[in-house]
Each structure stands twice: as C-alpha cells, then as structure tokens.
Amino acid sequence: MTTISKVAELAGVSRTTVSHVLNHADRVSPHLRARVLAAVEELGYSPNPQAQSLRTGRTNIVALLIPDILNPFYTELVKTAQTDLEAIGLDTMIFNSDVPGGHPQEHNREYLRQIRNKRVDGLIVGNFALHRMHDVLLKLDMPTVFIGDLPNQAVDNVKADDFGGGAAMGRYLVGQGHSRIAHVTGPSYFSEAMARADGFEQGLADAGAAADPSLRYEGTYLAPSGEAAVDWLVANHRDAMPTAIFFANYLMAIAGLARLYDHGLVVPKDIAVAVFGNQPEMRYARPTLTRVGVAPSALAHRASTMLIERLNGTYSGGPRSEVLQCELQQHDSA
C-alpha cells in the first residue's frame, strides 16, 4: 500500500511538505510541488478524502453556481475558474440553476442546501443564478464571490461596467453616422440589462442623437428573442428601417444576424449590427461583430483570485466590489 511516507521518501521531502502540496498548494514553490506530484503519480498515491477533510477541516472543493450552462458566456466562465482553482489544488463542483428553464427559487434553495451539506470550501455565483435571491448570501457561512451586480453587497463581487459599455457603443454608432438605431435590450427585471440599456441611450444623447422608443424591443437574452426582435422590426418598420441595431447580448445578436439574412438584409450594407459581449465564439460570426464588453474569462479570473485570497487568508476584510471596464472592438458589422 502506498503511503504519504513513501511519497515523501521518493520526492526527497518531508511528510509535511507532501501534505502542504496536497492540501495547501499555495504554500509550496512550483518546483517543489512538481517534484512531489511526480512522486505521487509514479507511486499512484491517492489520499483518503474523508480523512484528509477531517484532518484539515477543508474539502478542497469549490462550488460554481451558474444560471445557464448552455450559454457560451458561462461555459467560458466555468472553464477559466476551474483552471485557476485547479492550479492550486482545488476541485470544482458545478451547479446549473437553469434560470432560462424557469426553475423556481426552491430549486436554487435546494442547490444551496446541497452546497452546504457537501461542506465545500467556497462558492462562486454567476449573476442570474440567484435571481431575486441575493439575501441568501447574507446567511452563507463560507467564502463567496458573486459575479455580477449585487445590490446588498453581502459578499465579494466583481462585475462589468454595463452602463459604461452601453454608453460607449451608443457614442460609437452615432459617430459612425447612425441616428436611427434599433435597440434590443435584455429583460427589464435584470438590473445589468437595464444598466446596459440606460447607458446605451445616454451614449446616444451624449453624441447628439435621441433614443427612439418605437425602435426599442425587450428581449430575453435567449436566441429566439433575437429572431423575434428582427421579425418585429421588419414587420413594423419595413418602409423606414433603422440603419443600425444594437443587441444586448451575444445569443440574441447571433440569432438576429441569421434572421436578418433570412429577410434578405445584408450586414452592414442594409443595416449595421453591434452587440454587448466579448465571448471567444464571436470570432466565428460573419461579418465579424462590432462589440463592447468584458471577456467572461476576465470576470472569472478575478472572481477566482478574490476567492483564493479569502481561502488562504491573504484578505480577511469586508466585502469588496470591483468593476471591470468594457472594451469596444470595431469590426466588420458596424
């Protein structure tokens, strides 16, 4: 039977060092950690997780609670957080609350009960996963980081500058010569969606163009509403089409782009298209989408760093709130 003593002997280190590598990887130099892990791999050593948890008081597991695993934004977010956490020896457990599927709050409360019962070391929450349930964060007795707008500031949070990003795109489109611009917003019950919408309309005003309420369509952040928005626009404004359209997220934009094609409209010749978002998948759309936003990987990386700082004790102060600035990228579509 392979023991921790045999791993220590092969690696030429103490049992304590092996324990630190397996339980507190941040306390060990990368070179020493690689040596110990090589010995672990060679001997096939596998520590008993129950005994390890009892000894250290930690499970080395972090839970990730996201609202929609089918949305590429959250796929990238999970991938980045998982990579960052695995780098210091932490495993991840993913919970998909499926907000678009209409799951009730009780469904999410059950997930939170499971998270508590599994005694995870920490939690990262992706914004809408706890829609209208932010107060539960006040009662969570574990290090937690929230990605998105968090009104009650119950835990650490990091978010994109939705208002600033929307405003930048409004100014940009007017600067490109557009004054009659359609606007497909996110749902009015999401604060981030309204911040983007308010920012966009403020950006239009700053650049000398007024927002036209008759060209504003409330979407759902899901692809079908992008198609529906274009159908609505064509049905109601065929004789006086806007020269540009701004979608509040990637899923609506990519579906709207396809629907514009179905209606025989050429982008950007007949209508320019811009989007709020910065997912890696956008590089595959044609024409390439002009966009503004923060990459989900950047949000996830900062959230992971904030959580790790809590777990290793390098930060123990009050809840922090950080805002990442959006980047506007001009491409072929607008």
Side-chain angles (χ1 to χ4, degrees):
M1 175 181 175
T2 302
T3 64
I4 193 171
S5 297
K6 292 180 180 178
V7 172
E9 182 180 355
L10 180 60
V13 299
S14 68
R15 286 169 48 108
T16 300
T17 298
V18 175
S19 179
H20 281 167
V21 168
L22 298 176
N23 300 303
H24 306 284
D26 54 299
R27 300 179 184 177
V28 183
S29 70
H31 173 72
L32 202 55
R33 180 169 182 260
R35 211 164 86 203
V36 171
L37 291 179
V40 167
E41 180 70 20
E42 182 176 336
L43 295 174
Y45 175 68
S46 179
N48 183 301
Q50 287 77 26
Q52 200 174 30
S53 178
L54 287 172
R55 184 170 60 254
T56 65
R58 292 174 59 169
T59 59
N60 290 330
I61 297 173
V62 169
L64 302 178
L65 180 60
I66 59 172
D68 182 11
I69 202 164
L70 294 178
N71 186 326
F73 179 94
Y74 297 105
T75 306
E76 183 70 13
L77 188 149
V78 166
K79 175 186 173 184
T80 301
Q82 207 166 25
T83 299
D84 287 348
L85 295 168
E86 284 180 352
I88 64 161
L90 297 174
D91 292 325
T92 51
M93 184 179 296
I94 301 166
F95 293 84
N96 174 40
S97 68
D98 194 18
V99 170
H103 282 165
Q105 289 187 1
E106 187 51 40
H107 174 83
N108 293 341
R109 294 185 194 281
E110 174 57 30
Y111 272 164
L112 289 173
R113 279 193 286 269
Q114 290 183 38
I115 289 169
R116 289 192 193 95
N117 290 342
K118 293 179 186 299
R119 297 177 58 245
V120 300
D121 293 336
L123 171 65
I124 294 176
V125 180
N127 50 20
F128 311 129
L130 290 179
H131 179 54
R132 293 176 177 165
M133 293 179 61
H134 295 152
D135 285 349
V136 301
L137 296 172
L138 294 167
K139 303 173 184 176
L140 279 182
D141 187 24
M142 70 179 70
T144 301
V145 179
F146 187 90
I147 299 176
D149 186 41
L150 184 61
N152 65 9
Q153 298 297 304
V155 298
D156 291 334
N157 82 288
V158 58
K159 65 178 182 178
D161 181 8
D162 292 284
F163 184 93
M169 185 57 77
R171 292 189 296 269
Y172 168 80
L173 289 176
V174 175
Q176 293 297 107
H178 301 286
S179 58
R180 185 169 163 77
I181 305 169
H183 183 193
V184 184
T185 75
S188 57
Y189 47 80
F190 287 158
S191 60
E192 289 97 331
M194 291 302 93
R196 290 177 193 180
D198 292 346
F200 181 67
E201 295 186 355
Q202 183 62 56
L204 295 179
D206 291 344
D212 185 345
S214 73
L215 294 176
R216 176 165 164 159
Y217 182 94
E218 183 175 331
T220 65
Y221 273 162
L222 300 178
S225 70
E227 294 180 315
V230 171
D231 289 341
W232 168 83
L233 193 63
V234 171
N236 290 278
H237 300 279
R238 169 63 84 175
D239 295 331
M241 285 288 286
T243 60
I245 181 169
F246 175 52
F247 290 94
N249 86 335
Y250 164 73
L251 289 179
M252 295 192 298
I254 203 69
L257 197 65
R259 200 69 179 132
L260 287 168
Y261 176 86
D262 293 339
H263 282 288
L265 295 168
V266 178
V267 178
K269 179 173 176 269
D270 297 322
I271 187 169
V273 174
V275 58
F276 194 108
N278 190 14
Q279 285 88 291
E281 291 79 11
M282 287 186 179
R283 66 182 182 271
Y284 299 119
R286 293 296 181 272
T288 313
L289 290 167
T290 290
R291 69 199 75 157
V292 66
V294 175
S297 58
L299 290 163
H301 179 66
R302 185 58 195 140
S304 300
T305 300
M306 294 171 86
L307 184 64
I308 291 167
E309 289 169 352
R310 289 282 185 186
L311 292 174
N312 65 22
T314 56
Y315 181 82
S316 58
R320 297 166 288 179
S321 182
E322 298 186 7
V323 179
L324 302 188
Q325 299 305 305
C326 295
E327 176 189 5
L328 193 151
Q329 299 179 36
Q330 179 181 5
H331 292 290
D332 300 332
S333 67

